[in-house]
Amino acid sequence: MDTFSIITNKDIIEVNQDALGVPAKRVITLENGVHEGTIQIWLGPLVEDDMILAALNASPHNHTFPLSIADLGLPHNSYTAQDLWAKQEGGGYTRLIQRSDTMTINLRSHQSKVWRLRPGNFAFLVQQRIEQW
C-alpha cells in the first residue's frame, strides 16, 4: 500500500473526523518475547453506537495472536466488523463477531489493522448467507 492510498483512505478519515470526538484508548498490551507492549489493541466509541477497534504491531517481527472479544467489554452481544484497510484494497471484508468469539489476528512487522464495529443485526446475517449460496 503506497503512502497516498494510506493518507486518503476515506473510511479512516471518517473515523478520525467522527462527530463524537472521543479518542480511542489502548485497552490491551501484549508482551512478545523481550519487547513489552509490542502488540497493542485500541478501542473507542463512534457516533450511532459504533466502535473502532485497532490492532498495532510495533515490533520488527510478524505476530499472530488470539483476541477474545469478551475481553474488550463491548456493550452489545454482536457486531458487524468491517476491515477498513481491506475495504480500501477492494476486499471490503465484513464479518459478524459475537461477544463469545475469539479473532485470530495476523500482523506483519509494524502493521496495523482497523475495524469499524456496528451493532449486529439479522439483515447482515441474511445477506451474508445469500452471498455464500
Side-chain angles (χ1 to χ4, degrees):
M1 193 178 309
D2 65 18
T3 303
F4 183 76
S5 66
I6 291 171
I7 64 173
T8 59
N9 182 311
K10 291 179 182 181
D11 294 302
I12 297 293
I13 292 169
E14 182 180 309
V15 167
N16 176 264
Q17 300 296 314
D18 186 75
L20 193 58
V22 178
K25 294 182 181 179
R26 186 171 46 199
V27 294
I28 298 174
T29 302
L30 302 175
E31 186 175 327
N32 286 292
V34 296
H35 301 98
E36 183 175 337
T38 56
I39 303 296
Q40 302 171 16
I41 305 299
W42 292 74
L43 186 67
L46 300 171
V47 295
E48 297 181 13
D49 221 13
D50 289 1
M51 302 289 288
I52 191 72
L53 172 64
L56 168 68
N57 179 1
S59 83
H61 306 286
N62 298 343
H63 291 289
T64 298
F65 58 95
L67 176 63
S68 169
I69 302 304
D71 290 347
L72 298 175
L74 296 171
H76 297 282
N77 288 325
S78 64
Y79 289 85
T80 55
Q82 182 178 40
D83 184 329
L84 300 185
W85 291 124
K87 180 180 177 190
Q88 180 184 14
E89 295 170 352
Y93 180 66
T94 303
R95 64 176 280 197
L96 182 72
I97 59 171
Q98 299 196 22
R99 190 177 291 161
S100 60
D101 290 346
T102 298
M103 293 173 63
T104 299
I105 299 178
N106 301 301
L107 293 172
R108 295 184 310 276
S109 170
H110 303 290
Q111 181 185 20
S112 66
K113 291 193 176 183
V114 181
W115 298 270
R116 185 176 191 124
L117 306 179
R118 291 193 164 109
N121 61 47
F122 183 73
F124 172 80
L125 291 173
V126 171
Q127 183 62 35
Q128 289 294 97
R129 292 290 181 207
I130 290 171
E131 289 173 6
Q132 290 174 357
W133 289 335

